[in-house]
Amino acid sequence: MTQIIELPRQTGGTGFYLHFTGGYRAANVAEDACWIEPVFVNDKPCATGPLTLAQLQMMDNQNDFRAIAFHRFGWMNGEYHLSWVPIVLGKTNHSEGPAELWSNIAGNFSRRRTKRFFEAAERSAEKEIAKALDDQEPLEALARYWTCRALVSAQVLV
């Protein structure tokens, strides 16, 4: 049986969401049960459910939605904490946060950019090595920037 309830504001609690393309999220409310939100009823944000994980998966497949992130959060007496982790296709371990993800992206650019230099160098001088590591391409520099932003954001939330 499908129910629709208005979303109440709570003073404390925890939650786990799975975010999807299409602008919705599934709130885990019990083992093998989730509510879909937001669903607007009479211009108010509401949740609808419960759905089993099999029903959720069937709905996603029928509508070509994709899970894009895990979102775990909690709050108590005004103190809010969260972790938000993107889902990367092909990865089985999704515990890697945004800072690690951007750092890996930047590292991939660095390795590609410096590969020829280090393969060709028999005995590079320290200054040449430092220059090769510091001469970042724009995409590599941007990925390093997002690594720093993600680390700062994580520290602010702690």
Side-chain angles (χ1 to χ4, degrees):
M1 176 175 158
T2 300
Q3 300 173 359
I4 297 177
I5 60 167
E6 189 173 339
L7 299 176
R9 189 176 254 330
Q10 303 292 329
T11 58
T14 62
F16 177 81
Y17 285 115
L18 187 56
H19 290 262
F20 291 86
T21 57
Y24 83 93
R25 60 190 181 186
N28 183 272
V29 294
E31 189 171 328
D32 197 35
C34 58
W35 289 73
I36 302 301
E37 56 186 48
V39 176
F40 288 91
V41 176
N42 298 324
D43 293 326
K44 293 183 178 181
C46 299
T48 185
L51 291 154
T52 66
L53 295 179
Q55 290 170 319
L56 177 65
Q57 193 172 35
M58 184 173 65
M59 182 186 78
D60 294 337
N61 290 336
Q62 289 173 346
N63 294 288
D64 200 29
F65 294 136
R66 295 191 191 281
I68 57 172
F70 297 105
H71 180 187
R72 186 175 307 277
F73 61 95
W75 66 99
M76 178 76 74
N77 299 327
E79 293 291 326
Y80 184 76
H81 56 88
L82 68 91
S83 65
W84 193 94
V85 181
I87 295 173
V88 179
L89 294 177
K91 285 188 64 167
T92 55
N93 179 1
H94 297 289
S95 63
E96 181 177 64
E100 292 87 1
L101 183 62
W102 281 111
S103 180
N104 286 338
I105 291 169
N108 289 339
F109 282 121
S110 294
R111 281 186 290 284
R112 187 191 72 201
R113 179 178 53 79
T114 60
K115 182 179 180 188
R116 278 180 268 132
F117 172 80
F118 287 116
E119 286 175 348
E122 290 180 23
R123 297 181 69 134
S124 298
E126 189 175 325
K127 287 182 180 180
E128 290 175 319
I129 293 171
K131 182 178 180 346
L133 293 174
D134 290 340
D135 287 343
Q136 297 180 2
E137 295 173 351
L139 287 176
E140 181 183 350
L142 182 62
R144 291 276 178 221
Y145 168 80
W146 283 112
T147 300
C148 295
R149 288 289 306 244
L151 286 170
V152 168
S153 294
Q155 289 174 351
V156 168
L157 294 172
V158 173

